[in-house]
Amino acid sequence: EKPSKAEMNNYASTLWVRGSSLMEFGAYKEASKHVGKALEICPGNEMWMETYDIIKEQVEHSKKISERDAKRLPVTIITGFLGSGKTTLVNHILSAKHGMKLAVIENEFGAESIDGKLVADGKKEKADEVIVEASNGCVCCTVRGDLIQAIIKLCNKYKDLDGILVETTGMADPTPVAQTFYMDQEISEIARLDGIVTVCDCKHIVQNLGEKKQDGAVNESRQQLAFADVVLLNKVDLCTPDGIKEVKDTVRKINKSARMIETVRGKVDPKNLLSINAFVVDRVMEMQPDFLEDRQTSHDESIGSFVIRIKAPMDLELFQEWMRDLLQEKSADLYRSKGLMYASGSESKFVYHTVHEIMEIEEGREWAEGEKRESVFVFIGKDLDRKAIETSLKNIVA
């Protein structure tokens, strides 16, 4: 039976209501179908025609945004507290066969870049920027200067990039880096912030989050988790199932929407980190209304770092004993230590890392002919006595 005019009008009203609701949720294409069908039934309704015009404008605007985004390179910020495994993740990306050409930017600001030496296979960073092409076609760029100019240079030099990963320092608040893509017109035309990935050390994150800070100082671990679109739960092999559950529950209290991925030694498919369209500025604005305003982040001034260089060869066994004693005494305050060692009786470099009480030492490549041989140690922590550490370390020189 053919529906009556009244029934058709009711149906048209239902379509318009559905279309209006879809419009509120940003589903403009579906909204235009519903309201357009309603106007076919009742072509003279001025309010519906006004709604349809608004939807068409939004559809056109969304189309232009999509076209613009297709031309802009996706950028993923990799952040995470000291020793979480960011550099391990970067090394994995630079060596894995994933079929993507990525640029990895090591955003370094310290006096000594041990991480840069690792990803660059021992190349010295004497200039403001060093670009190294990895064996799988990816690019690693160590930057101490202007991050914006580094991104522009990479985009101009490598036209076939699939994306850029920016690794921040362990003590960094990711907010200023994220702001870059919204407050600088030149960078916003060629690149877009695709997502923030926070690497989380499952063994120590709960401890880091509970760290007491000076008044007004930001807890970097909390800030890094709060802004994350993806949280890599790294080092799950060092935790019990109950420990992993505690970490997940803790992360979820800080960030209800981030995707969590369990990893060991940062092994994850880069496709889970790039071109995921995860960063939503509206969500960040709800959490931090002054996101788009220029502001300074206050850090705990009791936390600092220093570098010790020793030219004489080191006894590897004595160093391991010395470091174990130091960690046993200072593990709560020594957040991170890392370095390259000139070991006696060996032609190879040795790379060591410590995160609180955990220590790893690995044999690296051999010293190059003519390369300056010395040990470089970086210590990062709270109220560390540099003089005492340096004196005791020099006492174990081979």
Side-chain angles (χ1 to χ4, degrees), residues 342-358:
Y342 171 26
S344 59
S346 175
E347 289 299 312
S348 298
K349 294 180 179 181
F350 284 82
V351 180
Y352 89 92
H353 304 267
T354 74
V355 182
H356 291 290
E357 74 281 4
I358 296 175

Side-chain angles (χ1 to χ4, degrees), residues 191-210:
R192 62 179 177 83
L193 180 54
D194 187 65
I196 296 178
V197 176
T198 297
V199 185
C200 169
D201 176 357
C202 285
K203 180 73 174 175
H204 299 106
I205 186 62
V206 175
Q207 177 183 338
N208 294 336
L209 289 169

Side-chain angles (χ1 to χ4, degrees), residues 358-375:
I358 296 175
M359 175 174 63
E360 284 188 8
I361 296 182
E362 297 177 354
E363 185 174 359
R365 68 173 182 82
E366 292 188 355
W367 294 93
E369 185 177 350
E371 185 178 357
K372 182 181 178 182
R373 298 193 182 194
E374 66 174 352
S375 297

Side-chain angles (χ1 to χ4, degrees), residues 30 75 134 146 148 160 167 188 233 243 267 270 317 331 356 371:
E30 287 299 314
V75 178
D146 193 331
I148 293 173
D160 56 345
E167 179 190 348
S188 65
L233 301 174
K267 291 186 178 179
E317 289 187 9
S331 64
H356 291 290
E371 185 178 357

Side-chain angles (χ1 to χ4, degrees), residues 175-239:
T175 313
V177 183
Q179 285 175 328
T180 299
F181 298 91
Y182 292 88
M183 300 179 73
D184 186 274
Q185 182 176 352
E186 188 174 9
I187 201 73
S188 65
E189 290 176 354
I190 62 172
R192 62 179 177 83
L193 180 54
D194 187 65
I196 296 178
V197 176
T198 297
V199 185
C200 169
D201 176 357
C202 285
K203 180 73 174 175
H204 299 106
I205 186 62
V206 175
Q207 177 183 338
N208 294 336
L209 289 169
E211 184 80 26
K212 288 185 178 180
K213 301 288 183 179
Q214 293 179 343
D215 290 344
V218 66
N219 185 306
E220 292 84 5
S221 294
R222 183 172 293 274
Q223 196 80 344
Q224 290 162 355
L225 285 173
F227 277 81
D229 299 300
V230 177
V231 176
L232 294 187
L233 301 174
N234 200 27
K235 307 184 186 181
V236 292
D237 55 321
L238 302 180
C239 301

Side-chain angles (χ1 to χ4, degrees), residues 280-299:
V280 180
V281 72
D282 290 345
R283 181 182 75 84
V284 176
M285 293 288 285
E286 287 178 8
M287 182 172 53
Q288 187 170 303
D290 64 347
F291 170 68
L292 296 179
E293 298 176 15
D294 192 11
R295 64 186 186 87
Q296 293 292 323
T297 300
S298 175
H299 293 281

